[in-house]
Amino acid sequence: MRRLNLDLAERSYPILIDGGLLSRAEEILPFLRTPRIALVSNTTVAPLYMDGLVKALEKVGVGVTPIILPDGEAYKTWESLNQIYDVLLATRCDRSTTIVALGGGVIGDLAGFAAATYQRGVPFIQIPTTLLSQVDSSVGGKTGINHPRGKNMVGAFWQPKLVLADTDTLKTLPDRELSAGMAEVIKYGLIRDLPFLDWLEANMDGLLARDGELLAHAIERSCINKAEVVAADELETAREGGRALLNLGHTFGHAIETGMGYGEWLHGEAVAAGTMMAVELSRRLGWLCVADVERVRTLLQRAGLPVKGADLGAARYLELMSHDKKVIAGSLRLVLLKSLGDAVTHADASREDIVAAIEACCRA
Amino acid sequence: MRRLNLDLAERSYPILIDGGLLSRAEEILPFLRTPRIALVSNTTVAPLYMDGLVKALEKVGVGVTPIILPDGEAYKTWESLNQIYDVLLATRCDRSTTIVALGGGVIGDLAGFAAATYQRGVPFIQIPTTLLSQVDSSVGGKTGINHPRGKNMVGAFWQPKLVLADTDTLKTLPDRELSAGMAEVIKYGLIRDLPFLDWLEANMDGLLARDGELLAHAIERSCINKAEVVAADELETAREGGRALLNLGHTFGHAIETGMGYGEWLHGEAVAAGTMMAVELSRRLGWLCVADVERVRTLLQRAGLPVKGADLGAARYLELMSHDKKVIAGSLRLVLLKSLGDAVTHADASREDIVAAIEACCRA
């Protein structure tokens, strides 16, 4: 089993990575304040993994309140959050009850925000079951819901007590979602880990064939990279660089997700197309060469990801991007690449260059 | 001007207490990250104080987005919170925008929870305009909304950058609300400050006559007491005592508020009746004598507060109290008095004694 420790200012929590973790309730037990959990999952994941987990937990004396939500980004809403609160209150969960998320990023964000806000905060454990959530949303404590006017506009920072990444759950993951997760894995290589980018190019075929050892390595490297960034900038308060660097491709990508309606594009797919826009803009600023751009395009395509943006029109992209949380005092900060493996935040790209980069990637 | 500093683990913020603070925008300006605020108020307070504050702020170059909500505890809901999010997003407030609460506890809780959760957290300033919010809800960082199944069940801890308590705003406060605030002022004397209890008995008439100097002293002593308790137990994690002691009378009081429907009883009124129940129970446990109980009853009555509980029936009280956030792993912790000026948390009161104390106070 691989074990990372995420060390933050006030607390530290372990990330366990291995096949078969879901049946090992003894890994969870020491992290519960009382033997009582609310287990939040969705209609896709629950039939696959909930029974086994509940049985393993009940065997060691843990009482489980199941909460099963509809599946999909379209349900990352106040209504779903309120369903969680309703069950927590109806079953008298108190401030010592641990909320456990079993599912992908949507379940993690929803259950995490419920944990951050139920009775002003209860303990939280993440059991991510998608590649995306194992390498991204389960590390760093971001939780939240969408608002009709923008993605993740309501939320909180709330750190889990424990993250369990069971690589066996990736065996049932649809190809399209495995690829979507790979967009974030590739991102870590692009923003700060060139050797990892090389490794991904060498091992992409084995990763897509779901080789457990390769996946565990990719998850571990991703979590280490994310943990280093998060530990240095826990609350995303750094003016330059810092945690914002994790958003390579995300400002463009969020515009695609919002513009197309939540759920049309998977998050990772939108990030892949958005990454191509960021890379193209970096080339226009003279930081990347054409060969760098093609190298990124090739890897994303090999991972089964889209490299062409949604055809919203550049004006609509700019409108949607202006709502981004990375806007500070009216100025849009984009994450760009000074070179492959070296990202920066940049607030000075001209409107013309941004428009040209968007249009190049929507035409491509 | 009286100036307190609330020192917490990671941050510290000042509480300014004086008459006329609302027109002194220069006290606010140094605490803004950018010269842009969203000013949240209600339909009662806004006509009295919003114009003057907005003019003072605009004079020093601060842009103000006003958000005016309906008045009352019945509006401390998700719907009101969503009204705040809607305006923040529609007017493109970003993560550097400061949310300012101008009003009583409901506005402070709502605006504070919006600040805690909008884009995962933005800066917050409190300008409490009721005695209750000046001595209680503006200190300590508790924010939140009500849920149909229970009061304050959804929320977060979020500390303000600054609290401005303008004693002039108490001149327009209805008598009933002044009395309700006095319930929390008296509470500080009862739980940990016997000299302050003596002072309140000596000065209650002047306080109710709204003597500015006396009110400023009462607010200052209350905030000092609360600050000391909060600093020692910021996130309410102490198993015994700690921040829970601030809830003297609140578990009983919340049952009255929920049982009667939010808004029927003012919070402070419910706390006053609930305090009598806690005091009566403390007498039954042999900790207070009859004279202590009568001393508390007399002071609450002089302050214009109810000392008789709502006639819900003891069974309904117990049902409602079992939802209280102070329930840990199924056991109800009550705040009781070992003696006047010395509160403890106590989980071992018998059901019979609790019922008897409730019934004695509903009969009285």
Side-chain angles (χ1 to χ4, degrees):
Chain A
M1 183 168 70
R2 293 160 198 257
R3 182 188 182 98
L4 303 176
N5 272 299
L6 192 65
D7 292 311
L8 302 173
E10 287 175 275
R11 5 160 224 272
S12 151
Y13 66 87
I15 301 171
L16 310 185
I17 307 167
D18 202 4
L21 278 172
L22 269 181
S23 58
R24 304 217 293 272
E26 69 277 13
E27 301 289 356
I28 298 175
L29 201 55
F31 293 89
L32 303 182
R33 200 188 300 172
T34 55
R36 170 98 198 261
I37 70 163
L39 182 58
V40 182
S41 191
N42 68 34
T43 48
T44 304
V45 174
L48 295 169
Y49 301 112
M50 201 149 184
D51 264 13
L53 179 59
V54 170
K55 273 187 194 129
L57 286 166
E58 287 179 344
K59 211 166 164 182
V60 294
V62 177
V64 180
T65 298
I67 303 175
I68 299 174
L69 302 171
D71 186 18
E73 181 84 24
Y75 296 95
K76 204 170 108 176
T77 58
W78 166 256
E79 286 73 24
S80 298
L81 185 65
N82 215 28
Q83 280 183 49
I84 301 177
Y85 295 142
D86 280 341
V87 177
L88 294 175
L89 283 163
T91 60
R92 310 231 172 155
C93 291
D94 65 32
R95 292 173 67 173
S96 67
T97 304
T98 298
I99 295 182
V100 179
L102 174 70
V106 170
I107 287 296
D109 282 7
L110 270 168
F113 191 46
T117 54
Y118 181 63
Q119 301 201 2
R120 296 199 195 90
V122 299
F124 178 48
I125 287 176
Q126 289 256 31
I127 307 181
T129 60
T130 64
L131 181 59
L132 178 60
S133 56
Q134 289 177 351
V135 302
D136 180 29
S137 57
S138 68
V139 184
K142 285 191 177 180
T143 72
I145 56 175
N146 296 326
H147 184 281
R149 288 179 186 267
K151 201 170 138 70
N152 293 323
M153 278 295 159
V154 173
F157 287 97
W158 196 247
Q159 304 297 341
K161 302 288 181 198
L162 168 71
V163 176
L164 285 188
D166 185 339
T167 50
D168 283 355
T169 61
L170 301 182
K171 291 178 183 163
T172 56
L173 195 67
D175 289 344
R176 195 177 158 198
E177 289 197 42
L178 187 71
S179 292
M182 214 57 82
E184 300 280 358
V185 174
I186 293 168
K187 177 192 76 180
Y188 295 112
L190 291 174
I191 63 168
R192 69 194 305 275
D193 192 348
L194 194 53
F196 185 42
L197 193 71
D198 297 336
W199 183 90
L200 287 169
E201 291 176 317
N203 293 284
M204 186 51 70
D205 298 342
L207 287 165
L208 294 179
R210 305 178 197 228
D211 179 297
E213 224 5 78
L214 293 178
L215 284 168
H217 177 79
I219 294 164
E220 184 181 33
R221 287 293 328 151
S222 298
C223 289
I224 289 171
N225 272 298
K226 179 150 187 186
E228 286 175 2
V229 174
V230 167
D233 183 23
E234 187 179 346
L235 299 182
E236 204 162 357
T237 46
R239 285 292 186 133
E240 306 255 318
R243 197 161 172 160
L245 298 180
L246 298 169
N247 292 315
L248 177 69
H250 283 57
T251 301
F252 296 105
H254 283 169
I256 295 174
E257 287 178 273
T258 308
M260 298 298 286
Y262 298 138
E264 278 300 304
W265 285 57
L266 294 179
H267 175 68
E269 293 170 343
V271 166
T275 296
M276 285 312 302
M277 294 176 186
V279 164
E280 172 63 21
L281 182 52
S282 303
R283 187 193 65 76
R284 282 175 185 269
L285 293 171
W287 298 341
L288 297 184
C289 63
V290 173
D292 293 327
V293 176
E294 291 314 309
R295 195 175 157 192
V296 177
R297 192 191 316 275
T298 302
L299 184 58
L300 291 172
Q301 283 179 319
R302 281 182 62 206
L305 287 160
V307 292
K308 182 174 177 303
D311 202 10
L312 303 169
R316 179 76 177 130
Y317 271 93
L318 291 175
E319 153 78 15
L320 291 163
M321 289 161 67
S322 71
H323 282 296
D324 195 270
K325 284 193 294 298
K326 288 166 285 299
V327 170
I328 296 285
S331 150
L332 182 62
R333 288 187 310 155
L334 290 169
V335 183
L336 301 175
L337 298 182
K338 279 280 184 186
S339 66
L340 295 185
D342 182 18
V344 291
T345 49
H346 187 70
D348 301 324
S350 72
R351 188 188 157 90
E352 290 65 35
D353 277 334
I354 296 173
V355 166
I358 292 168
E359 288 179 344
C361 292
C362 292
R363 247 193 339 261
Chain B
M1 184 167 70
R2 293 160 199 257
R3 182 188 181 98
L4 304 177
N5 272 298
L6 192 64
D7 292 311
L8 303 172
E10 286 175 277
R11 1 158 229 275
S12 151
Y13 65 87
I15 301 171
L16 310 184
I17 306 167
D18 202 5
L21 277 172
L22 269 181
S23 58
R24 306 217 292 271
E26 70 276 13
E27 301 287 356
I28 298 176
L29 200 56
F31 293 88
L32 304 181
R33 199 190 300 174
T34 54
R36 170 99 197 262
I37 70 163
L39 183 57
V40 182
S41 191
N42 68 34
T43 47
T44 304
V45 173
L48 294 169
Y49 301 113
M50 200 149 183
D51 264 14
L53 178 59
V54 170
K55 273 189 191 128
L57 285 166
E58 286 179 344
K59 210 167 166 182
V60 293
V62 177
V64 180
T65 298
I67 303 175
I68 299 174
L69 302 171
D71 186 17
E73 182 84 23
Y75 296 96
K76 205 169 106 176
T77 59
W78 165 256
E79 287 73 25
S80 297
L81 186 65
N82 215 28
Q83 279 183 49
I84 301 177
Y85 296 142
D86 280 341
V87 176
L88 295 174
L89 284 163
T91 59
R92 310 232 172 155
C93 290
D94 65 33
R95 292 173 68 175
S96 67
T97 305
T98 298
I99 295 181
V100 180
L102 174 69
V106 171
I107 286 297
D109 282 7
L110 271 168
F113 190 46
T117 55
Y118 182 64
Q119 301 200 3
R120 296 198 194 91
V122 298
F124 178 49
I125 287 176
Q126 289 255 32
I127 308 182
T129 61
T130 63
L131 181 59
L132 177 61
S133 57
Q134 288 176 354
V135 301
D136 179 29
S137 56
S138 67
V139 184
K142 284 192 177 180
T143 71
I145 57 176
N146 295 327
H147 185 280
R149 288 178 186 269
K151 199 170 139 71
N152 292 322
M153 278 296 160
V154 172
F157 287 97
W158 197 248
Q159 305 296 343
K161 302 288 180 196
L162 168 71
V163 176
L164 285 187
D166 185 340
T167 49
D168 283 356
T169 61
L170 301 183
K171 291 178 184 162
T172 56
L173 195 66
D175 289 345
R176 195 176 156 200
E177 290 198 41
L178 188 71
S179 292
M182 213 58 80
E184 300 281 358
V185 174
I186 292 168
K187 176 192 76 179
Y188 295 111
L190 290 173
I191 64 169
R192 69 194 306 274
D193 193 348
L194 194 54
F196 185 41
L197 193 71
D198 297 336
W199 184 90
L200 287 169
E201 290 176 316
N203 292 284
M204 187 51 71
D205 298 342
L207 287 165
L208 294 179
R210 305 180 197 229
D211 178 299
E213 223 7 76
L214 293 179
L215 285 168
H217 177 78
I219 294 165
E220 185 181 33
R221 285 294 326 152
S222 296
C223 289
I224 289 171
N225 273 298
K226 179 150 189 186
E228 286 175 1
V229 174
V230 167
D233 183 21
E234 187 179 347
L235 299 182
E236 204 163 355
T237 47
R239 284 291 185 133
E240 306 256 317
R243 199 162 169 159
L245 298 181
L246 298 170
N247 291 315
L248 176 69
H250 283 58
T251 301
F252 295 104
H254 283 170
I256 295 175
E257 287 178 273
T258 308
M260 299 297 286
Y262 297 139
E264 277 299 303
W265 284 57
L266 294 181
H267 175 67
E269 292 170 343
V271 166
T275 296
M276 284 312 301
M277 293 175 187
V279 163
E280 172 63 19
L281 182 53
S282 304
R283 187 192 66 74
R284 281 172 187 271
L285 293 172
W287 298 341
L288 297 184
C289 63
V290 173
D292 293 328
V293 177
E294 291 314 308
R295 195 175 158 192
V296 177
R297 191 193 314 276
T298 301
L299 183 59
L300 291 172
Q301 284 179 318
R302 280 182 63 205
L305 287 161
V307 291
K308 183 174 176 305
D311 202 8
L312 304 169
R316 179 76 176 130
Y317 269 93
L318 290 176
E319 153 77 16
L320 290 162
M321 287 162 67
S322 71
H323 283 295
D324 195 90
K325 284 195 294 297
K326 287 166 286 302
V327 170
I328 297 283
S331 150
L332 182 63
R333 288 187 310 157
L334 290 169
V335 183
L336 301 175
L337 298 182
K338 280 282 184 185
S339 65
L340 295 185
D342 182 16
V344 291
T345 49
H346 187 70
D348 301 323
S350 72
R351 187 188 158 90
E352 290 64 37
D353 276 335
I354 296 173
V355 165
I358 291 168
E359 288 179 343
C361 291
C362 291
R363 246 192 341 258

